[in-house]
Every structure is written in C-alpha cells, then in structure tokens.
Amino acid sequence: MTNSSGNDINLRSVVRGAAFAPSLVLLTALIVIWAATGAGYFWPMWAALGLAIPAGLWLAVRWAMLRPKGASRRYALQASISLVLVVTDVLVWAMSGGGYFWPIFPFVGLAGALALHGLFLRPAQRSLQLRVDELTRSRSGALDVQASELRRIERDLHDGAQARLVALSMQLGRAEERLADHPDSAALVRQAREEATAAIRELRDLARGIAPPVLADRGLVAAVESLASRSTANVEVVGQLDHRLPPVVETAAYFVVAESLTNVAKHAPGASAVVTVHLDGAMLVVEVADNGPGGANPAGGGLTGLKQRVEALDGRLEVHSVAREGTVVWAVLPCE
Amino acid sequence: MRVVVVEDQALLREGMVALLSENGIEVVAQAEDGPGLLRIVEGHKPDLAICDVRLPPTFTDEGIRAALEARRRHPEVAILVLSAYVEPVYTAELLAAGQGGVGYLLKERVSEVRTFVDSVKRVAAGGTALDREVVSALIADRDRSGERAELGALTPRERETLELIAQGRTNAAIAREMVVTLGAVEKHVSNIFAKLDLPAGDDDHRRVLAVLAYLRATGGR
C-alpha cells in the first residue's frame, strides 16, 4: 500500500469519527421521540438504515484500498460496493415487510457486471504472470551465461596469456644459463625473467578473483575447504553435496563464504568459525558462524554486495550479529 | 635419469623438454592428456613423471587424478606436478599419496633453471619439492590464528628456515639461500624441532617427512 492511500484512510477515519457521534445522538433522539409518540410502527429503523449506508460504503472502500493499486483494486472496489448495495436492498425488502423478493433483480444485475469485469481482468493478470515468469527465466538465464563466461575467461587467462608468459620466462631462464660468462647480459635477462614472473603472478591473482579453479574442478565443498585451509582463522567445514550445482549458484555461495571468512579474519581475530553447506530440498543453505565479538554492520559494503548477489538469484541472505556472541551469515539459494 | 613430460600446450612442453635435455635429463616420452600419462608411465617405467594439473579431456584437475592413479599403480615412479595456480587441496592429496617422491610447483618456477633442475633431481630420488607459495600458505597463514601456538613461538628466521625445509632444501642450500653459515642453520633447525615437538632424525629425508607430516596435519586437511 502506498503512503498516500494510507493518509486517505486516516483522513476518512477522522471524518467518520466526527460524523459517527452526531449520528448516534440523532438516532437516540429519534428513538426517544418514537417512544414518546406511542411506540407504534418502528420508523426510526429507516433513519438507522440511512445512516448505515454511508458507513457500509466507507468500509467497502477501505477494504478495497488494501489491494495493490491497479486492476485488482478496481475489481475489489466494484465487488465491495455491489455487496453493500445488495445488502441494502435485502434490508429494505425485509424492513418493508418482505413479500415478493424483488432484490433478486439488482443482485443478478450487479453479479453479472462483476462477472464481466472479472472476465476482462483475468487475461490481464494472466499476461502479467506470464511476463513475470518470462523475466525470472531470462534473468536466471543471463546470470547462468555470465557465470559460465567468467569461468571461460578464467580458463583462457590460464591457458592463453599465462601459458605464453610461462613459455617466455622459461626461454629467458635458458638464455640466462647460457650467458653464465657474460654477467652483465645475464643480469639483464634475469630482470626480464623476473618481470615475466611478476606478470604471471598478477594474472593468477586476477583469475582467482573471478573464480577459483578448484571451484570449477571440484565443486563447492572442495572450494570451501580450500578457503578454510587458507584462512587465518581456525575454520571447520561441515557439509557434503552429492551432486554439482549450477555454476551461478556455486559461485554466489563461494563468495558468500569467502567474504564472510575474510570478515572473520579482519574483525574477529583469534575467533574460530564453522562453515555449514547443505541442500534443503532444492535450496542450498550456506552458513558461516563465528564466535567473535559480533557487532557486524549488515549494511556494510561487503555484506550489501553479497546480499545483492544472492537476491539476484532469488535467494535470501541474513546477518545476525550479537555483541560478545559472534556473527552468523546465513544464505539460502534456490538451485532449481 | 629418465623422465616423462605431460603437458597439453605444445609451446610449454617443447620448452620444458629442451630445458631438461640441456641439463642432462633425458625425456623418454611425452603426452598431452590424463590417459596419455598413464600410458607412458606404464610403457616407459620412468624415474619421474612431470605433469600439468589441467589436462584434456576435462580441463579440470585431470592431471592430479591421473598422477594419483599412476602413483597407485606404480608407487616407484616419482610425480612432479606443475600448475598455473597453488591449490592446497591438491597438495594435500599428493602428499597423502605416499612418503616422498612427490612435488607440486608453480609452472613459472621452471624458469629458475638451476633450482628447478635441483627439484626435479630431488623428487626423482624420492625427496619432496613443494612450491614456496604452497608452503607459506600453509605455514604463515596458520600461525596468525593463534590456534597453532607452537608455530607462533618460532622466530621469523626459524619460520623462514622451516619454509625452506618444507620445500625440501638441504641445510647447505638453506644456508646459501639465507646467506648465513651452516652452523646457524643447524641451530635454527634444532630449535624448530624442539619448539614443534618433532623427533629430529639424522638425515634430511626423515626431517622433511616430519615437517610434511606436520603440514598435512595442520594445513592440508
């Protein structure tokens, strides 16, 4: 519900509150007059009906306003007002002594109009649903493509540029050996070789930042174990997956663990952590819990980035950080 | 010494074969994929197989799997794995495959020709060669956690010495590397074993195995 409609309702309730008290006073006065004039035919009920109709309409509108803006709210508005009219007709019929049940006609008319409106509404809603499905599919398709493209780039870096640099440094090494009796030239070649080695190292760091090879090779649990063995914190890994997950899910889960363990090392030195990885039906659940000082800011840069990454896959990420009790980063990712 | 080389990229394979022959190491066969490694080890019974991690057909960890299988079938053949990246999980698997006769080096180490040739000879003779990045990932990172208090007790020089020991260097090589006397290295070494509560053997081989056992217990899983 939007803010403006919330304000509308508040305004209406004030107006209604102000109108309600005089109505009640008026009704009481009429009943007193009716009693004083001999309490014959109970005519004040018609005044009560007159006062009830605006209240009924107000309730109907308020209920309809709870719907999201658009076609479904219009439909709800028509339905609720129709209901008030039908109830009014039935009351009028009953209060005027019953007899031939004429309210059936307005009832049929209003119901027919409502049904027609529904027929128009449903295709609109159906096409909206189809569009949502299509967008969901194309988004996850785009993310899958992106994940496998990144892995391809990572492999190309290793097998292409890096391999050439390794071959180059190997040749420089051989040249250096042959220049043993020309120390000046040998020193120059050694410098060139060291430059090549530095370039190789930079490429390796770059490739690892995209996707670590062990993730592509062995899957999530092995990659998490590798992270744990590299971490400065004492990390225990609990988890087993009996099949490989879609690359995009593996990569997102990997970076959740990587970022969380980096945070443990940075903000909770000396703490130990437990990483849990398991499948719950078609959902992958990843949890990183530490016993550090807590107080993590879930709106911090790293955690916000992770949240976006997880939510892009229709997953959920939560951070619970209690002072002196530690921090838990919990993520759940659908894997279809 | 008879060696086989398994590498799918011709440029690297040829460079390595040339480099090894120049240094008096005979390359008896070459292959370019995992099944090829098993075939030439079976056919040539070399002293050492040098292989890449990423090999066809899968281009994942084919090389490690093939090397482990070769080790299982022919425990007498030493294995030296060259990789474009350091991966503690793979190192641990190689170390678990047997006592000695294994190595894991980054590919660019080949360009430090003399050190590389030393490593090749050492592994072929049943020793161990671990890349310094692997070793420092396992040692240096661990001790900051406070969990392994005994490693924290090492002085920086002792830690440096331990890293070199774990790479498979001899005391003489360590002394050269650190530019100290042999006596100083021997003192570091005995301090390390005392602080780590490791039984110090007389020969290098037992000493390396003790350190590797320690690394395996703490870092490799």
Coordinates of all heavy atoms in Angstrom, one line a residue, chain A residues 154-155 158-159 162-164 166-167 169-170 173-174 177-178 193 197 200-201 204 208 213-214 216-218 222 225-226 228-235 270, chain B residues 9 11-12 15-16 18-19 22 54 59-61 64-65 84-90 93 106-108 110-114 133 141-142 144-145 147 219 221:
Chain A
E154 N 38.4 -17.1 -17.1 CA 39.4 -17.6 -16.1 C 40.3 -18.6 -16.8 O 41.5 -18.6 -16.6 CB 38.7 -18.1 -14.9 CG 39.6 -18.5 -13.7 CD 39.8 -20.0 -13.8 OE1 39.0 -20.8 -14.3 OE2 40.9 -20.4 -13.3
R155 N 39.7 -19.6 -17.5 CA 40.4 -20.6 -18.1 C 41.3 -20.1 -19.2 O 42.5 -20.5 -19.4 CB 39.5 -21.7 -18.7 CG 40.2 -23.1 -18.7 CD 39.2 -24.2 -18.8 NE 38.5 -24.2 -20.1 CZ 37.4 -24.9 -20.3 NH1 36.9 -25.7 -19.3 NH2 36.8 -24.9 -21.4
H158 N 44.5 -18.6 -17.9 CA 45.5 -19.6 -17.5 C 46.1 -20.2 -18.8 O 47.3 -20.4 -18.8 CB 44.8 -20.8 -16.7 CG 44.7 -20.4 -15.2 ND1 45.7 -19.9 -14.5 CD2 43.6 -20.5 -14.4 CE1 45.3 -19.7 -13.3 NE2 44.1 -20.0 -13.2
D159 N 45.3 -20.6 -19.7 CA 45.8 -21.4 -20.8 C 46.3 -20.5 -21.9 O 47.0 -21.0 -22.8 CB 44.6 -22.3 -21.4 CG 44.2 -23.3 -20.4 OD1 45.0 -23.5 -19.4 OD2 43.1 -23.9 -20.6
Q162 N 48.7 -16.6 -19.7 CA 49.6 -17.0 -18.7 C 50.6 -18.1 -19.2 O 51.8 -18.1 -18.9 CB 48.8 -17.5 -17.5 CG 49.6 -17.5 -16.2 CD 48.9 -18.1 -15.0 OE1 48.0 -18.8 -15.2 NE2 49.4 -17.8 -13.9
A163 N 50.1 -19.0 -20.0 CA 50.9 -20.1 -20.6 C 52.0 -19.4 -21.5 O 53.2 -19.9 -21.4 CB 50.1 -21.0 -21.4
R164 N 51.6 -18.4 -22.3 CA 52.7 -17.8 -23.1 C 53.7 -17.1 -22.3 O 54.9 -17.2 -22.6 CB 52.0 -16.7 -24.0 CG 51.4 -17.3 -25.2 CD 50.7 -16.3 -26.1 NE 50.0 -17.0 -27.1 CZ 50.5 -17.5 -28.2 NH1 51.8 -17.3 -28.5 NH2 49.7 -18.2 -29.1
V166 N 54.6 -18.0 -19.3 CA 55.4 -19.1 -18.7 C 56.5 -19.6 -19.7 O 57.7 -19.7 -19.4 CB 54.6 -20.3 -18.2 CG1 55.4 -21.5 -17.8 CG2 53.7 -19.8 -17.0
A167 N 56.0 -19.8 -21.0 CA 56.9 -20.2 -22.0 C 58.0 -19.2 -22.2 O 59.2 -19.5 -22.3 CB 56.2 -20.4 -23.3
S169 N 59.1 -17.0 -19.9 CA 60.1 -16.9 -18.8 C 61.0 -18.2 -18.8 O 62.2 -18.1 -18.4 CB 59.3 -16.8 -17.5 OG 58.7 -18.0 -17.2
M170 N 60.5 -19.3 -19.3 CA 61.3 -20.5 -19.5 C 62.4 -20.2 -20.4 O 63.6 -20.6 -20.2 CB 60.4 -21.6 -20.0 CG 60.5 -22.9 -19.4 SD 59.5 -24.1 -20.2 CE 58.1 -24.1 -19.3
G173 N 64.9 -18.1 -18.9 CA 65.7 -18.8 -18.0 C 66.9 -19.6 -18.7 O 68.0 -19.6 -18.2
R174 N 66.5 -20.2 -19.8 CA 67.5 -20.9 -20.6 C 68.6 -20.0 -21.1 O 69.8 -20.3 -21.1 CB 66.9 -21.7 -21.7 CG 66.1 -22.9 -21.2 CD 65.2 -23.4 -22.3 NE 65.9 -23.9 -23.5 CZ 65.4 -24.1 -24.7 NH1 64.1 -23.8 -24.9 NH2 66.1 -24.6 -25.7
E177 N 71.0 -19.1 -18.4 CA 72.0 -20.1 -18.2 C 73.2 -20.0 -19.2 O 74.3 -20.3 -18.9 CB 71.4 -21.5 -18.3 CG 70.4 -21.9 -17.2 CD 71.1 -22.0 -15.9 OE1 72.0 -22.8 -15.8 OE2 70.8 -21.2 -15.0
R178 N 72.9 -19.7 -20.5 CA 73.9 -19.7 -21.5 C 74.8 -18.5 -21.4 O 75.8 -18.4 -22.0 CB 73.2 -19.7 -22.9 CG 72.6 -21.1 -23.1 CD 72.0 -21.1 -24.5 NE 71.1 -22.3 -24.6 CZ 70.6 -22.7 -25.7 NH1 70.7 -21.9 -26.8 NH2 69.8 -23.7 -25.8
R193 N 63.2 -11.9 -16.8 CA 62.5 -13.1 -16.4 C 61.7 -12.8 -15.1 O 60.6 -13.2 -15.0 CB 63.6 -14.2 -16.1 CG 63.0 -15.4 -15.6 CD 64.1 -16.5 -15.5 NE 65.1 -16.3 -14.5 CZ 65.0 -16.3 -13.2 NH1 63.8 -16.7 -12.7 NH2 66.0 -16.0 -12.4
T197 N 57.7 -13.2 -14.5 CA 57.2 -13.9 -13.3 C 56.1 -13.0 -12.6 O 55.1 -13.5 -12.1 CB 58.3 -14.3 -12.4 OG1 59.3 -15.0 -13.2 CG2 57.8 -15.3 -11.3
I200 N 53.0 -13.0 -14.5 CA 52.3 -14.3 -14.3 C 51.5 -14.3 -12.9 O 50.3 -14.7 -12.9 CB 53.3 -15.5 -14.3 CG1 53.9 -15.6 -15.7 CG2 52.6 -16.8 -13.9 CD1 55.1 -16.5 -15.7
R201 N 52.2 -13.8 -11.9 CA 51.5 -13.7 -10.6 C 50.3 -12.8 -10.6 O 49.2 -13.2 -10.1 CB 52.5 -13.2 -9.5 CG 52.1 -13.5 -8.1 CD 53.1 -13.1 -7.1 NE 54.4 -13.6 -7.4 CZ 55.5 -12.8 -7.6 NH1 55.4 -11.5 -7.4 NH2 56.7 -13.3 -7.8
R204 N 47.5 -14.6 -12.3 CA 46.9 -15.6 -11.4 C 46.0 -15.0 -10.4 O 44.9 -15.6 -10.2 CB 48.1 -16.4 -10.7 CG 47.6 -17.5 -9.8 CD 48.7 -18.5 -9.5 NE 49.9 -17.8 -9.0 CZ 51.1 -18.0 -9.5 NH1 51.2 -18.8 -10.5 NH2 52.1 -17.4 -9.0
R208 N 42.0 -15.8 -10.1 CA 41.4 -16.4 -8.8 C 40.3 -15.5 -8.3 O 39.3 -16.0 -7.8 CB 42.5 -16.5 -7.8 CG 42.0 -16.9 -6.4 CD 43.1 -17.4 -5.5 NE 43.5 -18.7 -5.8 CZ 42.9 -19.8 -5.5 NH1 41.8 -19.7 -4.8 NH2 43.3 -21.0 -5.8
P213 N 40.0 -21.9 -9.5 CA 40.0 -23.1 -10.3 C 39.4 -24.3 -9.6 O 38.6 -25.1 -10.1 CB 41.5 -23.4 -10.6 CG 42.2 -22.1 -10.4 CD 41.4 -21.3 -9.4
V214 N 39.6 -24.4 -8.2 CA 39.2 -25.6 -7.5 C 37.6 -25.6 -7.5 O 37.0 -26.7 -7.5 CB 39.7 -25.7 -6.1 CG1 39.2 -24.5 -5.2 CG2 39.4 -27.0 -5.4
A216 N 35.6 -24.7 -10.0 CA 35.2 -25.3 -11.3 C 35.6 -26.8 -11.3 O 34.8 -27.7 -11.8 CB 35.9 -24.6 -12.5
D217 N 36.8 -27.1 -10.8 CA 37.2 -28.5 -10.8 C 36.5 -29.5 -9.9 O 36.1 -30.6 -10.3 CB 38.7 -28.6 -10.4 CG 39.6 -27.9 -11.4 OD1 39.1 -27.4 -12.4 OD2 40.8 -27.7 -11.1
R218 N 36.3 -29.0 -8.7 CA 35.8 -30.0 -7.7 C 34.5 -29.6 -7.0 O 33.9 -30.3 -6.2 CB 36.8 -30.1 -6.5 CG 38.2 -30.7 -6.9 CD 38.1 -32.2 -7.1 NE 39.3 -32.8 -7.5 CZ 40.3 -33.2 -6.7 NH1 40.1 -33.1 -5.4 NH2 41.4 -33.7 -7.1
A222 N 34.7 -28.6 -1.9 CA 36.2 -28.6 -2.0 C 36.7 -27.2 -2.0 O 37.7 -26.9 -1.4 CB 36.6 -29.3 -3.3
E225 N 36.6 -25.9 1.4 CA 37.6 -26.4 2.2 C 39.0 -25.7 1.9 O 39.8 -25.5 2.8 CB 37.7 -27.9 2.0 CG 36.7 -28.6 2.8 CD 36.6 -30.1 2.6 OE1 37.2 -30.6 1.6 OE2 35.8 -30.8 3.3
S226 N 39.1 -25.4 0.6 CA 40.4 -24.7 0.2 C 40.4 -23.3 0.9 O 41.4 -22.9 1.4 CB 40.4 -24.6 -1.3 OG 41.5 -23.8 -1.7
A228 N 39.0 -22.5 3.7 CA 39.2 -22.7 5.1 C 40.6 -23.0 5.4 O 41.2 -22.4 6.4 CB 38.3 -23.9 5.6
S229 N 41.3 -23.7 4.5 CA 42.7 -24.0 4.8 C 43.6 -22.8 4.5 O 44.7 -22.7 5.0 CB 43.2 -25.2 4.0 OG 43.3 -24.9 2.6
R230 N 43.1 -21.8 3.8 CA 43.9 -20.6 3.5 C 43.6 -19.6 4.6 O 44.3 -18.6 4.7 CB 43.5 -20.0 2.2 CG 44.1 -20.7 1.0 CD 43.4 -20.3 -0.3 NE 43.8 -21.1 -1.4 CZ 44.7 -20.7 -2.3 NH1 45.3 -19.6 -2.2 NH2 45.1 -21.5 -3.3
S231 N 42.5 -19.7 5.3 CA 42.1 -18.6 6.2 C 43.0 -18.5 7.4 O 43.5 -19.5 7.8 CB 40.6 -18.9 6.6 OG 40.3 -18.0 7.6
T232 N 43.1 -17.3 7.9 CA 43.9 -17.1 9.1 C 43.2 -17.6 10.3 O 43.7 -17.8 11.3 CB 44.3 -15.7 9.3 OG1 43.2 -14.9 9.3 CG2 45.2 -15.2 8.1
A233 N 41.8 -17.6 10.2 CA 41.0 -18.1 11.3 C 41.0 -19.6 11.4 O 41.3 -20.3 10.4 CB 39.6 -17.6 11.2
N234 N 40.6 -20.2 12.5 CA 40.5 -21.6 12.6 C 39.1 -22.0 12.1 O 38.1 -21.6 12.8 CB 40.7 -22.0 14.1 CG 40.6 -23.5 14.2 OD1 41.0 -24.3 13.4 ND2 40.0 -23.9 15.4
V235 N 39.0 -22.6 11.0 CA 37.7 -22.8 10.4 C 37.4 -24.3 10.2 O 38.2 -25.1 9.8 CB 37.7 -22.2 8.9 CG1 36.3 -22.4 8.3 CG2 38.1 -20.7 9.0
G270 N 41.5 -14.3 16.0 CA 41.5 -15.2 17.1 C 40.2 -16.0 17.2 O 40.2 -17.0 17.9
Chain B
Q9 N 49.9 -28.1 -23.8 CA 50.3 -26.9 -24.6 C 51.7 -27.2 -25.2 O 52.7 -27.2 -24.4 CB 50.3 -25.7 -23.8 CG 48.9 -25.5 -23.1 CD 48.6 -24.1 -22.9 OE1 49.0 -23.2 -23.6 NE2 47.8 -23.9 -21.9
L11 N 53.8 -25.4 -26.8 CA 54.9 -24.4 -26.5 C 55.6 -24.7 -25.2 O 56.8 -24.7 -25.1 CB 54.2 -23.1 -26.4 CG 55.0 -21.8 -26.5 CD1 55.7 -21.7 -27.9 CD2 54.1 -20.6 -26.3
L12 N 54.8 -25.0 -24.2 CA 55.4 -25.3 -22.9 C 56.1 -26.6 -22.8 O 57.1 -26.8 -22.3 CB 54.3 -25.3 -21.8 CG 53.7 -23.9 -21.5 CD1 52.6 -24.0 -20.4 CD2 54.8 -23.0 -21.0
G15 N 59.4 -26.4 -24.7 CA 60.3 -25.6 -23.9 C 60.9 -26.4 -22.7 O 62.1 -26.4 -22.4
M16 N 60.0 -27.2 -22.1 CA 60.4 -27.9 -20.9 C 61.4 -29.1 -21.3 O 62.4 -29.3 -20.6 CB 59.2 -28.5 -20.2 CG 59.5 -28.8 -18.7 SD 58.1 -29.0 -17.7 CE 56.8 -28.4 -18.6
A18 N 63.3 -29.2 -23.9 CA 64.6 -28.6 -24.3 C 65.4 -28.2 -23.0 O 66.6 -28.6 -22.9 CB 64.4 -27.4 -25.1
L19 N 64.7 -27.6 -22.1 CA 65.4 -27.2 -20.8 C 66.0 -28.4 -20.1 O 67.1 -28.3 -19.6 CB 64.4 -26.4 -20.0 CG 64.8 -25.7 -18.7 CD1 64.1 -24.4 -18.5 CD2 64.6 -26.6 -17.5
E22 N 69.0 -29.9 -22.0 CA 70.2 -29.1 -21.8 C 70.9 -29.3 -20.5 O 72.0 -29.0 -20.3 CB 69.8 -27.6 -21.9 CG 69.6 -27.1 -23.3 CD 68.9 -25.7 -23.3 OE1 68.8 -25.1 -22.3 OE2 68.5 -25.3 -24.4
R54 N 45.8 -29.1 -15.2 CA 44.7 -29.0 -16.2 C 45.1 -29.7 -17.5 O 45.9 -29.2 -18.2 CB 44.4 -27.6 -16.5 CG 43.4 -27.1 -15.5 CD 42.8 -25.7 -15.9 NE 42.0 -25.3 -14.8 CZ 41.3 -24.1 -14.9 NH1 41.5 -23.3 -15.9 NH2 40.6 -23.8 -13.9
F59 N 39.9 -30.8 -18.8 CA 40.4 -29.5 -18.5 C 40.1 -29.0 -17.1 O 39.9 -27.8 -16.8 CB 40.0 -28.4 -19.5 CG 40.7 -28.5 -20.8 CD1 40.0 -29.1 -21.9 CD2 42.0 -28.2 -21.0 CE1 40.7 -29.2 -23.1 CE2 42.7 -28.3 -22.2 CZ 42.0 -28.8 -23.3
T60 N 40.0 -30.0 -16.2 CA 39.8 -29.5 -14.8 C 41.0 -30.0 -14.0 O 42.1 -29.5 -14.2 CB 38.5 -30.1 -14.2 OG1 38.5 -31.5 -14.2 CG2 37.3 -29.5 -14.9
D61 N 40.9 -31.0 -13.1 CA 42.0 -31.5 -12.4 C 42.5 -32.8 -12.9 O 43.0 -33.7 -12.1 CB 41.6 -31.6 -10.9 CG 40.4 -32.4 -10.7 OD1 39.7 -32.8 -11.7 OD2 40.1 -32.7 -9.5
I64 N 46.0 -34.1 -11.8 CA 46.1 -34.6 -10.4 C 45.5 -36.0 -10.3 O 46.1 -36.9 -9.7 CB 45.3 -33.7 -9.4 CG1 46.0 -32.3 -9.3 CG2 45.2 -34.3 -8.1 CD1 47.2 -32.3 -8.4
R65 N 44.3 -36.2 -10.9 CA 43.7 -37.5 -10.8 C 44.6 -38.6 -11.5 O 44.8 -39.7 -11.0 CB 42.3 -37.5 -11.5 CG 41.3 -36.6 -10.7 CD 40.0 -36.6 -11.5 NE 39.1 -35.5 -11.0 CZ 38.3 -35.7 -9.9 NH1 38.2 -36.9 -9.4 NH2 37.6 -34.7 -9.5
A84 N 49.4 -23.9 -12.8 CA 49.3 -22.5 -13.0 C 48.9 -21.8 -11.7 O 48.9 -20.6 -11.7 CB 48.4 -22.2 -14.2
Y85 N 48.4 -22.6 -10.7 CA 48.0 -22.0 -9.5 C 48.2 -22.9 -8.3 O 48.4 -24.1 -8.5 CB 46.5 -21.7 -9.6 CG 45.7 -22.8 -10.2 CD1 45.2 -23.8 -9.3 CD2 45.4 -22.9 -11.5 CE1 44.5 -24.9 -9.8 CE2 44.7 -24.0 -12.0 CZ 44.2 -25.0 -11.2 OH 43.6 -26.0 -11.7
V86 N 48.3 -22.3 -7.2 CA 48.5 -23.0 -5.9 C 47.2 -23.5 -5.4 O 46.2 -22.7 -5.3 CB 49.2 -22.1 -4.9 CG1 49.0 -22.7 -3.5 CG2 50.6 -21.9 -5.2
E87 N 47.0 -24.8 -5.1 CA 45.8 -25.3 -4.6 C 46.1 -26.2 -3.4 O 46.5 -27.4 -3.6 CB 45.0 -25.9 -5.7 CG 43.6 -26.4 -5.2 CD 42.9 -25.3 -4.3 OE1 42.5 -24.3 -4.9 OE2 42.8 -25.5 -3.1
P88 N 45.9 -25.7 -2.2 CA 46.2 -26.6 -1.0 C 45.5 -28.0 -1.0 O 46.1 -28.9 -0.6 CB 45.7 -25.8 0.2 CG 45.6 -24.4 -0.3 CD 45.4 -24.4 -1.8
V89 N 44.3 -28.0 -1.6 CA 43.6 -29.3 -1.6 C 44.4 -30.3 -2.4 O 44.5 -31.5 -2.0 CB 42.2 -29.1 -2.2 CG1 41.5 -30.4 -2.4 CG2 41.3 -28.2 -1.2
Y90 N 44.9 -29.9 -3.5 CA 45.6 -30.8 -4.4 C 47.0 -31.2 -3.8 O 47.4 -32.4 -3.9 CB 45.9 -30.2 -5.8 CG 44.6 -29.9 -6.5 CD1 44.6 -29.0 -7.6 CD2 43.4 -30.5 -6.2 CE1 43.5 -28.6 -8.3 CE2 42.3 -30.2 -6.9 CZ 42.3 -29.2 -7.9 OH 41.1 -28.9 -8.6
E93 N 46.4 -33.8 -1.3 CA 46.2 -35.2 -1.9 C 47.4 -35.8 -2.4 O 47.6 -37.0 -2.2 CB 45.2 -35.0 -3.1 CG 43.8 -34.7 -2.7 CD 42.8 -34.5 -3.8 OE1 43.3 -34.6 -5.0 OE2 41.7 -34.3 -3.6
L106 N 54.7 -24.3 -8.9 CA 54.1 -23.4 -9.9 C 54.9 -23.5 -11.2 O 56.1 -23.6 -11.1 CB 54.1 -22.0 -9.4 CG 53.0 -21.7 -8.3 CD1 53.2 -20.3 -7.7 CD2 51.6 -21.8 -8.9
K107 N 54.2 -23.3 -12.3 CA 54.9 -23.5 -13.6 C 56.0 -22.5 -13.8 O 57.0 -22.9 -14.4 CB 53.8 -23.3 -14.7 CG 53.0 -24.5 -15.0 CD 52.1 -24.3 -16.2 CE 51.3 -25.5 -16.5 NZ 50.3 -25.2 -17.6
E108 N 55.9 -21.3 -13.3 CA 56.9 -20.3 -13.6 C 58.2 -20.7 -12.9 O 59.3 -20.1 -13.2 CB 56.5 -18.9 -13.3 CG 56.2 -18.7 -11.8 CD 54.7 -18.6 -11.5 OE1 54.0 -19.4 -12.1 OE2 54.3 -17.8 -10.6
V110 N 59.9 -23.2 -13.3 CA 60.7 -23.8 -14.3 C 61.8 -22.8 -14.8 O 62.9 -23.2 -15.2 CB 59.9 -24.4 -15.5 CG1 60.7 -25.0 -16.6 CG2 58.8 -25.4 -15.0
S111 N 61.4 -21.5 -14.8 CA 62.3 -20.6 -15.4 C 63.5 -20.3 -14.5 O 64.6 -19.8 -15.0 CB 61.6 -19.2 -15.7 OG 61.2 -18.6 -14.5
E112 N 63.4 -20.7 -13.2 CA 64.6 -20.6 -12.4 C 65.3 -21.9 -12.5 O 65.2 -22.8 -11.8 CB 64.2 -20.4 -10.9 CG 63.5 -19.1 -10.6 CD 62.7 -19.1 -9.3 OE1 63.1 -19.7 -8.4 OE2 61.6 -18.5 -9.3
V113 N 66.1 -22.0 -13.7 CA 66.5 -23.2 -14.2 C 67.2 -24.1 -13.1 O 66.9 -25.3 -12.9 CB 67.4 -23.1 -15.4 CG1 67.9 -24.4 -15.9 CG2 66.6 -22.4 -16.5
R114 N 68.2 -23.5 -12.5 CA 69.1 -24.4 -11.6 C 68.2 -24.9 -10.4 O 68.3 -26.1 -10.1 CB 70.3 -23.6 -11.1 CG 71.6 -24.3 -11.6 CD 72.8 -23.4 -11.4 NE 72.9 -22.4 -12.4 CZ 73.8 -21.4 -12.3 NH1 74.6 -21.3 -11.3 NH2 73.8 -20.5 -13.3
E133 N 55.1 -20.9 -2.4 CA 53.8 -20.3 -2.1 C 52.8 -21.3 -1.4 O 52.0 -20.9 -0.6 CB 53.1 -19.9 -3.4 CG 53.7 -18.5 -3.9 CD 52.7 -17.8 -4.8 OE1 51.5 -18.1 -4.8 OE2 53.2 -17.0 -5.6
D141 N 50.0 -18.4 7.1 CA 48.6 -18.1 7.4 C 48.2 -18.7 8.7 O 47.4 -18.1 9.4 CB 47.7 -18.5 6.3 CG 47.8 -17.6 5.1 OD1 48.5 -16.5 5.3 OD2 47.1 -17.8 4.1
R142 N 48.6 -19.9 8.9 CA 48.1 -20.6 10.1 C 48.5 -20.0 11.4 O 47.7 -19.9 12.3 CB 48.7 -22.0 10.1 CG 48.1 -22.9 9.1 CD 46.9 -23.6 9.6 NE 45.8 -23.5 8.7 CZ 44.6 -23.9 9.0 NH1 44.3 -24.5 10.2 NH2 43.6 -23.8 8.2
R144 N 49.0 -17.1 12.5 CA 48.3 -15.8 13.0 C 47.0 -16.2 13.7 O 46.5 -15.3 14.4 CB 48.1 -14.9 11.8 CG 49.3 -13.9 11.6 CD 49.0 -13.0 10.5 NE 49.2 -13.6 9.2 CZ 48.6 -13.4 8.1 NH1 47.6 -12.5 8.1 NH2 48.9 -14.0 7.0
S145 N 46.5 -17.3 13.5 CA 45.2 -17.7 14.1 C 45.3 -17.8 15.6 O 44.3 -17.8 16.3 CB 44.7 -19.0 13.4 OG 45.5 -20.0 13.9
E147 N 45.8 -20.4 16.9 CA 45.4 -21.8 17.1 C 46.6 -22.7 17.3 O 46.7 -23.5 18.2 CB 44.5 -22.3 16.0 CG 44.1 -23.8 16.0 CD 43.1 -24.0 17.1 OE1 42.6 -23.0 17.7 OE2 42.9 -25.2 17.5
G219 N 47.5 -28.1 7.9 CA 47.1 -27.2 6.8 C 46.3 -27.9 5.8 O 45.3 -27.4 5.3
R221 N 44.4 -30.7 5.5 CA 43.2 -31.5 5.6 C 43.3 -32.8 4.8 O 43.1 -32.8 3.7 CB 42.0 -30.7 5.1 CG 41.4 -29.9 6.2 CD 40.6 -28.8 5.6 NE 41.0 -27.6 6.4 CZ 40.4 -27.2 7.5 NH1 39.5 -27.9 8.0 NH2 40.8 -26.1 8.1

